[in-house]
Amino acid sequence: MSNLDQHRIGLIHEGHFYEVLINKEPTIFKEDLYPQVARLPMELNWPKEDEKKLVVVSYNSTGEGHQPFISKRSNQLPEDGVKMLLEQRIESSNCFSPSPVGGSVNLPQDTE
């Protein structure tokens, strides 16, 4: 598939397009515990009031490790907005940059 056949979804802010990538598999944030703490990392439980919101997840440093938390959140997205994002998700990480113009350059090789 050429870059001309690919669709991009994102936000326009101050006249610039910012691409939003949705991975097929969700990211699981876990509490990162220091090795001397004798328990398994715990998954972050998302609050129900943050459902369908854009969020920024950060980590807090604690005495036992790093605890993920939601540091920023948007208003709830409309149902059709969530549907449009999920329809444009990607199967795996991929380069969405446009193809470079021109060809490769043969640089002289060291003969030493």
Side-chain angles (χ1 to χ4, degrees), residues 30-42 59-68:
K30 294 187 176 183
E31 184 178 0
D32 179 24
L33 300 175
Y34 294 126
Q36 66 269 24
V37 179
R39 60 185 170 103
L40 294 175
M42 300 181 326
Y59 281 91
N60 245 350
S61 182
T62 67
E64 297 181 339
H66 299 92
Q67 173 69 42

Side-chain angles (χ1 to χ4, degrees), residues 18-32:
Y18 296 88
E19 186 174 11
V20 175
L21 297 179
I22 305 293
N23 288 316
K24 184 178 179 183
E25 296 298 323
T27 300
I28 298 173
F29 287 90
K30 294 187 176 183
E31 184 178 0
D32 179 24

Side-chain angles (χ1 to χ4, degrees), residues 9 79-89:
I9 191 164
E79 189 65 38
D80 60 337
V82 173
K83 181 180 176 189
M84 187 168 62
L85 286 169
L86 293 176
E87 285 173 350
Q88 296 300 318
R89 67 187 182 191

Side-chain angles (χ1 to χ4, degrees), residues 4 10 12-13 21 23 28 30 37 40 46 48 50-51 61 63 65 70 74 78 81-82 88-89 91 108 110:
L4 297 175
I12 296 176
H13 177 67
L21 297 179
N23 288 316
I28 298 173
K30 294 187 176 183
V37 179
L40 294 175
W46 303 102
K48 290 199 184 296
D50 287 325
E51 184 70 20
S61 182
I70 296 173
S74 72
V82 173
Q88 296 300 318
R89 67 187 182 191
E91 298 293 322
D110 288 337

